[in-house]
Each structure stands twice: as C-alpha cells, then as structure tokens.
Amino acid sequence: MTSPATHLSRLARWGVTLARRRALVGIEDDPNAPTQLKRLVKLARWTTFTSKNGTRDYGEAFRAIGPAAIKLGQSLATRPDLVGEEAAENLLSLQDSLPPVPFAEIKASIEASFDQPLETLFAEVDPVPVGAASIAQVHKGTTTEGGSVAIKVLRPGIREKFARDIQTYEWAAAHVEEMGSEAARLRPRLTIANFKRWTNSELDLRREAASASELTEAMAGIGGYRIPAIDWDRTNGRVLTVEWVDGVKISNRDELIARGHDLNAIAEKLVISFLTQAISAGFFHADMHQGNLFVEDDGTIVAIDFGIMGRIDRRARQWLAEILYGLTTGNYKRVAEIHFEAQYVPSYHSVGEFATALRAVGEPMRGKPVKELSVGQMLDGLFAITRDFDMQTQPHLLLLQKTMVMVEGIATQLNPDINMWDTAAPYVRSWIRDELGPEAAVADRIKEDTETLFRLPGLIRRLEEQFPPKGGAPEPPPLPEIRLLTDRKERTGGSRFGYLLALIAGAGAMWGAVSMGWLG
C-alpha cells in the first residue's frame, strides 16, 4: 500500500511540471473549481515563479511527466467539461511518442517472454523501430515461414510504472471528489477507473489481439474495411505479432490523390465503418487517430492498434442512435425524452426546457459542412448545458465521444465539405428501422418469451430443491415450546434471580420428597 506521503511527493513533482507550463492556470480561473484545489494549484505556480500570462502548453506538460501521463492526457482530451475547452483541444494534439528502447533490451524481452531464442521465431527483425510510443514500440520482421509482420513489444518495466502512477491518480481523484459540488458531479474517480481499465487492456497484448479478432468478426461482410491477421503463435502478453500492412497513411492526402484514390469515398467509408462498429456491433476501435489507419491500393481502409476499444450495450446503442437521428432531423423533444429515459438527466427537470436547450445547441449546426461547424463543437455545446440540468458525466460514452471527434477530424481532412450528419443519417435511420421498428419489437418479444420458457424447467428444479417432497415417515406431532435455562434471550438480572430461587425451591422439594420416602 502506497503511503500518503509518497502520493503527495509525486503530486508535488507533477504539479510543478504542470505549473511551469501554465497547465494549471485554467483551474485557478474556473469559478466552479473547488476552493481548496484552486489554492493548491496557485501554490504550485508560485513555487515555480511562473506568471499566469503566457502560452499554456498542456500537451508538453503531460509528455514531460511520463508515459502514464501521456495516456492520461489523451484520455482527458475527451473531457472539456473537466479540463476546459482550451486544454481539451490542446491535448488532442498530444502525440504518444517517446525515444525508442535499445534493440538489445527489446530482443531480451522477446526471448524471455517466449523462453526461446529470437532466431527460432523470426528470420529477421529490423533493429530500428517503425514507431515508439509510451507503452510499446513496433519493429518490422520476417517470420521463419517468410511472412512480413509487425512486432509490437511492451517497454520493459512499463506495467510497473503505470501501476505506480495510477495508484496516485486514484488517490488524488478520491480527494478531489470529496471536495463535493462540481468536483463530485464530474466524477473524477470514475474517470480514473475507466482510464485504469483501458490501460490495463493496453498493457496485455493478448487482449489487444483478442480485440482485433473480435472486431474482425463484427465487421465481417462490411466491404472496404479490414483488420490485419493475428499471428497467435508469436503473440503473448508482452509481444503482439500481426500481418504487415502495405498502404498509405490516411493522413497523407497528397499520396492518396497521387495513387488515384477517391478521397470523398474514403471519408464516407470511414464514417460508416465507425457507425457500424459503434451502433450495430456495440464494439468499436476507440483509437482511430491518423497513425492507426491506412489505405490499401484497392481503397480498403486498414486499422491497426487495438489497445483501446469501446463497448456499448444494446439499450444504450438504441438511445445513441435515436439521439443522433433526432439531432440530424431536429426532433429535439425526442432527444430530450431519451435523456430522461436513460436517466442522464434527473427526473425533477423539465423535458420541454431540456429540449429547448438542445435546440440552442443543435439548430445552428444543421445542414452545414464540418468545415463550418463540427461534431466537436456540438459536443462542447452539450457539455455546456449539463451543469444547468445536473447531468452527471457518463463515462461509458466518453470513448465514443473521443472517437467521434477523431473520425470527424480525419474525414474533414479528406473532404472539407463533408457533412457528418448527412453522411450518418441514412445509416442511422436504417438501423433504427431495423432495430426499433414493429418487426423488431415482435422479434424481441418472441425471443424474450422463448428464453423465459426455456428457463422454466431450471426454475422448477430449484424450487423442488428448496421444498423437497415429503418422505415415507409420518409427520411428527407439534411439540410444546420449552424455555431453557441456557436460553439467555430477553433475560434480565431479575429473571436470573427468579430462576435461581426456582432452582433452590425445586431442589429442596426433591430432597424433602426423598427423605419422606415418597420417591423411594
């Protein structure tokens, strides 16, 4: 168990690093921030002799703290309600890159994890990595069978570093949330809990491989989008080996044009593939930044890096689809009703007032291309009204929001005139018709009733276990209730004295009867 002194020491170091880059000034200026927290960040700034005026470099501050902070910063980029719009926008550009680990250490790590020499697994491994991030780095290699592969290897000691830092994040979040009011509404503890869950998945490369496999199944039959094949024989918790992808990075617009690709078609394909994952499958690639998407010669989009995945249950997906469709069609009343049905907004508020607030956010954006107004701006507008309607943060939707912003940004680069709502509306309308229409309602009812019927035999068996049939022996007659001397329930000191007198009297009577020969 880490001591409070250790947590405070770490937080002090990190606070100084953040203060030097003015990354805490936003908290000082936020009228809703807890007073105690504002005093602490002001103290951190004073100790570094840093003025409030000047550039606020949030991304560089988190990068300077270390690998776990880089991942935390990327996560906080989805929380403009928590860190402010300026910080969230700055953190979106936070690149997850660090100096590479020497190849000798990488080779030793691979050999130790498989307990065999590197040469028995790979015919060749390029010692120069093609990418080095905070958690792992990637090398190109050739298997002993001759296949070209990408080999992802965890940085040595990274699991221990993350575990140490996350403990302090949890400790700090608990103390901030205890300050109450706005700090409690934003649920920082739950934010860190989700961050911990995401990073634990990233730190086990077998789970990343499993996520890629699951997404492959979910997207089967969807043309123009695929996931590289996993080499399971060369994959474990610390090493992930996948098919090498030959393609152009989706961010390289000039190269895509030179190869004759239709950028508008690619942008639409990206949007539809994301909606298919999020709304239809309920399982989506939540790290769709430009470095993780490639375009092959035939126009197929290939995704890599499945360490961060999002999952949404069916009911939440239905709500999400209705919200998106309601916003695209201007049906703000239905969008408001869904927020109340999902209990995102407390029931003591007015549905009509919430619908009006939504209209103020959504109406200026309808029918305009992303280059003028964006999904990100709409989300910021939605965050702005959450405080007025006492809406608690919904952490299960944070990854979705982050991914929507990423997809929007890439689609806009490919086609500046794309309208995300117009692109999404036909797909969402079709999904709602299939999932929420009369046929779907009847099918759901038949499915639920059939499952209930199949559960009846098991229910009857459990009832029989609780109430077994009578045996062959006759039932015993009812017996009178006798209060025992050893039963001390509801007994007082006076009652104990009475029992003692009764015992003495009974013993005396017994002795008298024997001496008179009555019991002889």
Side-chain angles (χ1 to χ4, degrees), residues 83-84 86 125 150 174 178 198-199 288 299 303 346 367 384 388 434 448 463 505:
V83 299
E86 178 188 358
V125 178
E178 186 64 22
W198 301 335
T199 53
M288 282 193 182
D388 294 338
D434 293 342
E448 290 176 6
L463 285 172

Side-chain angles (χ1 to χ4, degrees), residues 84-98:
E85 292 183 18
E86 178 188 358
E89 184 176 353
N90 185 274
L91 289 170
L92 280 174
S93 63
L94 177 59
Q95 296 299 311
D96 187 5
S97 60
L98 289 175

Side-chain angles (χ1 to χ4, degrees), residues 435-486:
E435 294 293 322
L436 301 179
E439 299 91 344
V442 172
D444 284 345
R445 184 59 183 268
I446 292 173
K447 180 175 180 289
E448 290 176 6
D449 290 350
T450 303
E451 289 176 348
T452 301
L453 285 173
F454 280 134
R455 288 198 300 269
L456 280 177
L459 176 62
I460 293 171
R461 282 192 294 270
R462 291 194 295 274
L463 285 172
E464 287 182 336
E465 291 172 1
Q466 291 292 325
F467 305 99
K470 297 177 182 179
E475 288 191 28
L479 301 176
E481 183 177 350
I482 306 295
R483 185 183 291 269
L484 303 177
L485 291 176
T486 53

Side-chain angles (χ1 to χ4, degrees), residues 107-171:
K107 179 183 178 183
S109 180
I110 296 173
E111 292 179 335
S113 64
F114 285 103
D115 195 23
Q116 54 185 298
L118 184 69
E119 292 73 20
T120 63
L121 298 165
F122 302 100
E124 183 182 3
V125 178
D126 189 343
V128 179
V130 295
S134 57
I135 285 180
Q137 63 189 54
V138 179
H139 293 257
K140 185 176 182 180
T142 305
T143 65
T144 51
E145 294 83 10
S148 292
V149 291
I151 310 163
K152 184 175 183 178
V153 187
L154 290 184
R155 288 176 174 266
I158 196 65
R159 288 177 175 172
E160 295 73 19
K161 291 177 182 177
F162 265 74
R164 178 199 66 197
D165 288 358
I166 288 174
Q167 282 185 352
T168 299
Y169 298 160
E170 291 173 325
W171 189 86

Side-chain angles (χ1 to χ4, degrees), residues 62-77:
F62 278 87
R63 190 181 294 109
I65 292 173
I70 292 174
K71 286 295 181 183
L72 179 62
Q74 291 178 327
S75 177
L76 292 176

